[in-house]
Amino acid sequence: MNSKPWLASYPEGVAWDHAIKPTSVQQILADAVAGFPDRPAIDFMGKRLNYRELGALVDRAAKGLQALGVRPGVHVGLYLPNTPHYLVALFGVLQAGGTVVNYSPLDAAKVLEHKIEDSQTDFLITLDLAALYPQMAAMLGKTRLKKLVVGNLAEMTGAPEQVAAQMKAKNETVDISGDEHHLRFSELLDNDGRYTPHPIGDPREALAILQYTGGTTGLPKGAMLTHANLSSACEQVVITQSGTPPVLQMGTERLLAVLPPFHIYALTVNLLLGVRLAAEIVQHLRFDPKAALRDIAEKKLTTFCGVPTMFTAVIGDPDTPQYDLHSLKLCNSGGAPLPMEVGERFRAITGTWLAEGWGMTETSPTGTFSPAHGQRKAGSCGIPHPGVVIKMLDLEDPSRYVPLGEKGEMCIQGPNVMKGYWNKPEATADSTTFDGLFRTGDVGYMDEDGFVFIVDRCKDMLLCSGYNVYPRVLEEAIYQHPAVHEVAVIGVPDEYRGQSPKAFITLKPGAEAFDIKALQTFLKERVGKHEMVQALEIRAALPKTAVGKLSKKDLVDEELRKQAVAAATA
């Protein structure tokens, strides 16, 4: 059997065995500052910073963090939206010698509390937004969290006083306590930037980021992403875009960053890749298709990485025909499977292929890519990245791999694959094959040309707008409702989100029925926004297997039949 069938499918000028030198994540910024100091680095709400200015802010953040006590072994949380604060804080923590822990604004309070304790987060950087600060302020005194560093969005814009006033008038910001548990972001930066560098040692062992990922049961676990994991993932993308002719070039690209930076996909393909290329990173606080269209056309943006829902919104916007989007050179869809129709329509509008790849939190999140030049296959997520090996593990016998063309569990090895799960050696062992590859939980096959096709999941997991959602977590929350007797949650197709959770419920005797809005209100404090159940069906009984287990397979089959009937009669 050909062990690396993808080699023959590699585009001209791209080598699978291209040398990838592991380095520190902060070295990526240092190289950009040294090579392109006057090149614009960030464009955000009317303010631009060049790489020299960004580097100076990061140096000051590093010194300020060291004054707080950040050093090797200290973990600092980032609870931030897509603003320049994130880049300054990310590189500042790493230059100070600390480890970054990403926190999601979508998380429920109990998950935030768990992450703080589990990750050993002592300091956390956030903004005074009403959607962020109160959640973390509530963690002071009830968790190990010692201090909050709080910035304000307006300070990183071109018109800080005006923006601050507008946000205050809309109640989008809140007042911050002035006690010893708080420090203003501006105060953190109020120094000369002469921080003390800390050598990281072997970048393959040095922990850079704890990136939490959900589990089929219980609370999330932290994937230990090393400096080498993240710098290698970044380099893998650069290599694949450096073929003949090259797609991306140093110091010339303009990148649209609309994904939330706490997500590993956004962190790697927007922020780290942008800095690695010394690109101008155009940050949007949140995704708005009209704003994206306007900036692509007016600022001649060249790179746009997003999730399928974003590309669907762009091609579906009624104003799209008014804009020239042909400056785009690299557009990549990740986080969830890309409908083929969306890719075809996007190319017709922009003249650019909408590339698709596969990756996950534990792989930083590279894994497969669609060749920029040469062969592509409909329905495939592409071929393995440089330095990556992918094999399919026998679903019945985990001591062997299956031949090409046969379905198995995708397993991956490469410099981008995590060190393991934080303080969870058993979970790390359970996700490792007999010969050391990482078991992804995705079921797929590889064809004779090395193209990977994903067909199913081993894990009971949904992909909703690029976020992992675990039905077991939702079921445990719904079971807390006093009227619920039994519940099963499955994923149903959603044209915009890919999948949405639907709950099937039976009631306790004498209990009153309720609607989806009432259920969502009940779940609001128990699950994350990205996990929220979107559909509800109350039944007299739920289907069960021969041994009495709830049969989700029957529910899924019923939903598929309903859709088939609806499509036939449409």
Side-chain angles (χ1 to χ4, degrees):
M1 183 176 85
N2 183 356
S3 62
K4 298 184 182 70
W6 55 85
L7 295 181
S9 299
Y10 254 59
E12 185 182 350
V14 180
W16 176 84
D17 58 356
H18 191 290
I20 297 176
K21 182 184 177 183
T23 185
S24 70
V25 173
Q26 56 265 37
Q27 189 61 45
I28 297 172
L29 175 62
D31 290 345
V33 172
F36 300 88
D38 298 318
R39 166 82 178 149
I42 299 175
D43 176 339
F44 179 71
M45 291 183 68
K47 182 171 182 173
R48 295 174 92 185
L49 293 170
N50 63 30
Y51 274 95
R52 180 188 288 107
E53 292 166 333
L54 175 59
L57 286 175
V58 169
D59 290 348
R60 288 158 54 191
K63 181 164 184 177
L65 288 163
Q66 287 180 339
L68 288 180
V70 176
R71 60 189 182 280
V74 174
H75 295 180
V76 181
L78 302 187
Y79 192 54
L80 292 165
N82 194 30
T83 71
H85 297 86
Y86 188 93
L87 270 170
V88 174
L90 170 75
F91 286 109
V93 171
L94 297 177
Q95 286 188 186
T99 295
V100 168
V101 184
N102 273 318
Y103 286 80
S104 168
L106 300 174
D107 284 336
K110 71 169 186 175
V111 174
L112 294 176
E113 190 172 341
H114 161 73
K115 287 182 180 180
I116 291 169
E117 296 297 338
D118 184 70
S119 68
Q120 300 168 8
T121 296
D122 291 323
F123 306 99
L124 187 136
I125 302 172
T126 188
L127 299 186
D128 63 356
L129 297 177
L132 294 179
Y133 172 73
Q135 286 83 332
M136 276 303 170
M139 298 295 151
L140 291 169
K142 65 184 293 191
T143 66
R144 65 176 288 148
L145 195 60
K146 296 176 184 176
K147 191 180 287 281
L148 292 179
V149 178
V150 187
N152 66 82
L153 184 146
E155 66 194 350
M156 287 291 183
T157 68
E161 292 181 6
Q162 182 181 351
V163 172
Q166 289 173 348
M167 296 184 74
K168 190 73 175 174
K170 295 177 182 177
N171 294 318
E172 292 176 344
T173 56
V174 293
D175 294 330
I176 306 302
S177 172
D179 61 24
E180 71 276 11
H181 299 297
H182 292 77
L183 182 72
R184 291 282 182 180
F185 192 76
S186 57
E187 294 173 313
L188 182 80
L189 301 182
D190 188 13
N191 59 69
D192 61 12
R194 295 178 184 173
Y195 71 97
T196 303
H198 286 283
I200 65 166
D202 185 350
R204 292 168 295 189
E205 295 297 324
L207 183 59
I209 293 179
L210 272 181
Q211 188 77 21
Y212 276 78
T213 180
T216 51
T217 60
L219 293 161
K221 50 188 181 291
M224 294 188 287
L225 302 181
T226 66
H227 283 269
N229 290 153
L230 292 160
S231 62
S232 297
C234 201
E235 206 60 27
Q236 286 168 329
V237 179
V238 171
I239 293 167
T240 60
Q241 303 303 317
S242 303
T244 307
V247 177
L248 302 178
Q249 297 180 330
M250 285 292 296
T252 64
E253 308 302 338
R254 289 189 174 95
L255 184 151
L256 177 62
V258 292
L259 293 160
F262 56 82
H263 195 289
I264 187 62
Y265 174 48
L267 174 63
T268 299
V269 301
N270 280 350
L271 305 187
L272 295 184
L273 177 63
V275 174
R276 167 62 180 80
L277 293 168
E280 181 174 7
I281 302 169
V282 179
Q283 287 185 295
H284 287 196
L285 184 61
R286 60 184 63 85
F287 174 67
D288 173 72
K290 294 188 188 301
L293 286 165
R294 185 172 58 250
D295 269 5
I296 292 169
E298 293 179 1
K299 298 178 180 179
K300 304 298 180 189
L301 304 185
T302 61
T303 304
F304 176 17
C305 294
V307 294
T309 52
M310 292 178 176
F311 297 109
T312 299
V314 165
I315 63 178
D317 192 283
D319 293 340
T320 296
Q322 301 174 22
Y323 293 98
D324 181 0
L325 308 179
H326 286 80
S327 62
L328 291 169
K329 298 193 296 185
L330 171 65
C331 295
N332 190 83
S333 178
L338 175 72
M340 281 187 279
E341 181 193 351
V342 173
E344 290 167 1
R345 289 178 62 198
F346 188 84
R347 188 186 183 203
I349 291 168
T350 65
T352 301
W353 280 106
L354 184 48
E356 185 175 14
W358 168 92
M360 55 196 303
T361 299
E362 291 88 340
T363 68
S364 307
T366 50
T368 69
F369 73 102
S370 299
H373 308 293
Q375 187 179 25
R376 291 169 181 246
K377 297 195 178 186
S380 171
C381 59
I383 57 179
H385 267 108
V388 165
V389 170
I390 291 178
K391 302 178 184 178
M392 305 298 172
L393 194 68
D394 192 308
L395 295 173
E396 303 297 328
D397 179 5
S399 67
R400 64 180 289 269
Y401 293 104
V402 299
L404 295 176
E406 288 190 23
K407 286 193 299 184
E409 180 182 357
M410 271 180 74
C411 300
I412 182 172
Q413 185 177 57
N416 52 306
V417 178
M418 69 168 185
K419 187 177 179 179
Y421 292 113
W422 172 252
N423 285 340
K424 294 203 168 28
E426 288 184 7
T428 301
D430 289 344
S431 64
T432 305
T433 65
F434 65 92
D435 57 347
L437 275 69
F438 174 69
R439 298 180 63 169
T440 69
D442 285 329
V443 177
Y445 66 91
M446 180 180 286
D447 72 8
E448 67 282 358
D449 297 316
F451 281 79
V452 174
F453 295 78
I454 296 173
V455 296
D456 204 351
R457 295 189 186 92
C458 298
K459 300 173 184 174
D460 187 15
M461 182 185 86
L462 313 180
L463 267 176
C464 305
S465 293
Y467 295 100
N468 294 353
V469 173
Y470 294 87
R472 174 71 180 271
V473 173
L474 299 182
E475 289 161 0
E476 288 174 357
I478 294 170
Y479 268 122
Q480 296 173 34
H481 194 292
V484 171
H485 172 55
E486 289 179 319
V487 58
V489 174
I490 66 169
V492 295
D494 184 312
E495 196 171 307
Y496 188 71
R497 302 178 73 214
Q499 283 181 301
S500 284
K502 179 175 181 177
F504 294 82
I505 288 172
T506 61
L507 301 174
K508 290 176 180 175
E512 264 189 55
F514 48 86
D515 61 14
I516 183 63
K517 287 186 178 178
L519 178 60
Q520 289 173 335
T521 299
F522 176 79
L523 293 175
K524 186 176 180 183
E525 302 301 323
R526 292 172 170 83
V527 303
K529 297 173 188 173
H530 60 301
E531 299 172 307
M532 184 58 71
V533 173
Q534 299 297 321
L536 168 66
E537 192 170 319
I538 295 178
R539 295 186 172 190
L542 297 180
K544 293 183 172 65
T545 66
V547 293
K549 290 173 63 177
L550 292 175
S551 177
K552 291 188 181 182
K553 182 179 183 301
D554 287 345
L555 294 172
V556 170
D557 289 345
E558 285 180 34
E559 288 295 315
L560 290 174
R561 285 196 295 272
K562 279 186 194 174
Q563 288 165 24
V565 170
T569 56

